[in-house]
Amino acid sequence: MNNNVIFVLLISLVLLPLYASAAASRGGWIPITNIKDPHVVHIGEFAVSEYNKQTKSGLKFDSIVSGVSQVVSGLNYQLVVAADDSGTSKNYEAIVWEELWQRSMNLTSFTPLLKNNRFF
Protein backbone atom coordinates (compact mmCIF):
# COMPACT_ATOMS: atom_id res chain seq x y z
CA MET A 1 0.00 0.00 0.00
CA ASN A 2 1.24 3.46 -0.69
CA ASN A 3 1.73 5.98 2.11
CA ASN A 4 -1.26 8.13 1.11
CA VAL A 5 -3.71 5.24 1.52
CA ILE A 6 -2.23 4.33 4.90
CA PHE A 7 -2.42 7.97 6.01
CA VAL A 8 -6.09 8.28 5.00
CA LEU A 9 -6.96 5.04 6.81
CA LEU A 10 -5.21 6.17 9.98
CA ILE A 11 -6.89 9.56 9.92
CA SER A 12 -10.28 7.88 9.39
CA LEU A 13 -9.71 5.56 12.34
CA VAL A 14 -8.90 8.54 14.55
CA LEU A 15 -11.59 10.97 13.38
CA LEU A 16 -14.62 8.67 13.22
CA PRO A 17 -14.67 7.85 16.96
CA LEU A 18 -14.02 11.51 17.78
CA TYR A 19 -17.01 12.54 15.68
CA ALA A 20 -19.26 9.99 17.40
CA SER A 21 -17.98 11.06 20.80
CA ALA A 22 -18.56 14.74 20.04
CA ALA A 23 -22.12 14.07 18.89
CA ALA A 24 -22.81 12.05 22.04
CA SER A 25 -21.31 14.64 24.36
CA ARG A 26 -23.53 17.35 22.86
CA GLY A 27 -26.67 15.38 23.61
CA GLY A 28 -27.26 14.33 20.01
CA TRP A 29 -29.12 11.15 19.17
CA ILE A 30 -26.90 8.35 17.86
CA PRO A 31 -28.30 5.34 15.96
CA ILE A 32 -28.03 2.02 17.77
CA THR A 33 -26.20 -0.15 15.26
CA ASN A 34 -26.62 -3.47 17.08
CA ILE A 35 -30.29 -3.75 18.01
CA LYS A 36 -29.70 -7.37 19.08
CA ASP A 37 -27.19 -6.32 21.75
CA PRO A 38 -28.33 -8.04 24.98
CA HIS A 39 -28.37 -4.74 26.89
CA VAL A 40 -30.56 -3.04 24.26
CA VAL A 41 -32.91 -6.06 24.23
CA HIS A 42 -33.05 -5.90 28.04
CA ILE A 43 -34.09 -2.24 27.83
CA GLY A 44 -36.84 -3.13 25.34
CA GLU A 45 -38.06 -5.96 27.57
CA PHE A 46 -38.04 -3.59 30.54
CA ALA A 47 -40.11 -1.05 28.59
CA VAL A 48 -42.81 -3.59 27.73
CA SER A 49 -42.83 -5.02 31.26
CA GLU A 50 -43.05 -1.58 32.86
CA TYR A 51 -45.83 -0.54 30.46
CA ASN A 52 -47.74 -3.69 31.40
CA LYS A 53 -47.36 -2.90 35.11
CA GLN A 54 -48.51 0.70 34.67
CA THR A 55 -51.50 -0.09 32.45
CA LYS A 56 -52.33 -3.66 33.50
CA SER A 57 -51.85 -4.72 29.87
CA GLY A 58 -50.64 -8.05 28.57
CA LEU A 59 -48.18 -7.12 25.82
CA LYS A 60 -45.42 -9.63 25.10
CA PHE A 61 -42.02 -8.38 23.94
CA ASP A 62 -41.03 -9.60 20.46
CA SER A 63 -37.97 -7.61 19.36
CA ILE A 64 -36.27 -4.27 18.88
CA VAL A 65 -36.99 -2.87 15.41
CA SER A 66 -34.71 0.19 15.59
CA GLY A 67 -33.40 2.71 18.06
CA VAL A 68 -31.27 5.67 18.96
CA SER A 69 -29.54 6.68 22.17
CA GLN A 70 -28.63 10.02 23.71
CA VAL A 71 -26.15 10.91 26.43
CA VAL A 72 -27.80 13.06 29.11
CA SER A 73 -27.34 12.69 32.86
CA GLY A 74 -27.44 8.99 32.06
CA LEU A 75 -28.64 7.58 28.76
CA ASN A 76 -31.93 8.02 26.94
CA TYR A 77 -33.00 5.22 24.63
CA GLN A 78 -35.68 5.83 22.02
CA LEU A 79 -36.64 2.43 20.68
CA VAL A 80 -39.17 1.02 18.27
CA VAL A 81 -40.28 -2.15 20.05
CA ALA A 82 -42.33 -4.90 18.44
CA ALA A 83 -44.73 -6.45 20.94
CA ASP A 84 -47.49 -9.00 20.63
CA ASP A 85 -50.95 -7.66 21.39
CA SER A 86 -53.48 -10.53 21.40
CA GLY A 87 -51.77 -12.45 18.60
CA THR A 88 -50.84 -9.43 16.48
CA SER A 89 -47.37 -7.90 16.51
CA LYS A 90 -47.47 -4.11 16.71
CA ASN A 91 -44.76 -1.46 16.93
CA TYR A 92 -44.46 0.93 19.84
CA GLU A 93 -42.16 3.83 20.58
CA ALA A 94 -40.54 3.34 23.97
CA ILE A 95 -38.37 5.95 25.64
CA VAL A 96 -36.32 4.73 28.58
CA TRP A 97 -33.94 6.75 30.72
CA GLU A 98 -31.12 4.75 32.28
CA GLU A 99 -28.70 5.73 35.03
CA LEU A 100 -25.91 3.16 34.75
CA TRP A 101 -24.20 4.11 38.01
CA GLN A 102 -27.50 3.78 39.92
CA ARG A 103 -28.49 0.64 37.98
CA SER A 104 -31.91 2.12 37.43
CA MET A 105 -34.23 2.57 34.46
CA ASN A 106 -37.34 4.70 34.07
CA LEU A 107 -39.95 4.33 31.33
CA THR A 108 -40.54 7.88 30.10
CA SER A 109 -43.13 7.06 27.44
CA PHE A 110 -44.62 4.13 25.57
CA THR A 111 -46.91 4.84 22.63
CA PRO A 112 -48.26 2.81 19.70
CA LEU A 113 -46.95 3.69 16.26
CA LEU A 114 -49.30 4.00 13.34
CA LYS A 115 -48.90 1.41 10.57
CA ASN A 116 -45.91 -0.16 12.39
CA ASN A 117 -43.54 2.50 11.02
CA ARG A 118 -39.85 2.71 11.73
CA PHE A 119 -38.84 6.29 12.27
CA PHE A 120 -35.08 6.07 12.71
Side-chain angles (χ1 to χ4, degrees):
M1 256 195 254
N2 75 32
N3 288 338
N4 288 339
V5 172
I6 293 172
F7 177 74
V8 169
L9 287 174
L10 288 174
I11 292 298
S12 297
L13 289 173
V14 169
L15 293 180
L16 186 59
L18 290 175
Y19 172 76
S21 175
S25 67
R26 288 193 308 263
W29 290 95
I30 298 175
I32 297 171
T33 56
N34 183 5
I35 59 173
K36 294 183 188 257
D37 178 280
H39 186 69
V40 175
V41 171
H42 174 68
I43 291 167
E45 291 170 338
F46 166 81
V48 172
S49 172
E50 192 64 21
Y51 175 77
N52 285 337
K53 285 179 196 173
Q54 292 175 7
T55 62
K56 301 193 183 343
S57 298
L59 294 178
K60 293 181 183 165
F61 175 82
D62 285 337
S63 64
I64 303 294
V65 177
S66 62
V68 291
S69 64
Q70 175 188 45
V71 176
V72 289
S73 59
L75 284 170
N76 272 329
Y77 292 90
Q78 186 177 19
L79 305 173
V80 174
V81 177
D84 185 273
D85 182 18
S86 302
T88 304
S89 185
K90 296 180 181 176
N91 287 349
Y92 299 84
E93 176 197 40
I95 300 177
V96 175
W97 177 53
E98 178 182 36
E99 286 183 293
L100 291 170
W101 58 93
Q102 295 287 337
R103 294 188 175 184
S104 69
M105 287 187 269
N106 181 33
L107 181 64
T108 305
S109 74
F110 194 92
T111 55
L113 291 177
L114 301 175
K115 297 184 183 181
N116 288 339
N117 355 2
R118 288 176 54 165
F119 56 90
F120 348 96

